[in-house]
Amino acid sequence: MKLSIFMPWLALAVIAALAGCVGHAPRPTGLPARAEACPAARPQVCTMDYRPAFGYDDHGGIVSQFANACAACADSRVAFTLPAGSSPQTFAAPPAGGKAAPR
């Protein structure tokens, strides 16, 4: 009888412990410290505000500059975003199918 009292609490403890195991992939090296990970559920609709942001892939390479972080995360190639004004380097526009190079 006493065991049935503790089972719901044990189940809750196990679920809480496993919830900490689910997270983002490790941050790639070379990614700016202030870069934020895109949410797992990609945005379907974004506002049309202009707050330029760089989009980075899951290897830390820059994909492109976007109108805002939401628009960047809507692109399936982007894993992280960084506001364009806080970027430590200025990046050239990426060539077709390639990665951008620092200027």
Side-chain angles (χ1 to χ4, degrees):
M1 184 61 110
K2 289 185 181 186
L3 184 60
S4 65
I5 294 172
F6 292 108
M7 288 304 277
W9 291 106
L10 179 62
L12 184 61
V14 169
I15 291 171
L18 291 176
C21 295
V22 178
H24 296 288
R27 291 178 69 89
T29 56
L31 188 68
R34 293 187 55 210
E36 295 184 14
C38 289
R42 297 287 174 166
Q44 299 297 313
V45 177
C46 297
T47 59
M48 296 297 291
D49 58 333
Y50 184 70
R51 290 180 288 158
F54 289 110
Y56 292 86
D57 63 17
D58 55 354
H59 301 292
I62 191 161
V63 174
S64 186
Q65 184 172 350
F66 295 85
N68 56 44
C70 179
C73 287
D75 187 322
S76 63
R77 300 172 298 163
V78 175
F80 299 91
T81 63
L82 180 73
S86 61
S87 179
Q89 294 180 333
T90 304
F91 291 90
K99 296 207 180 344
R103 287 188 196 175

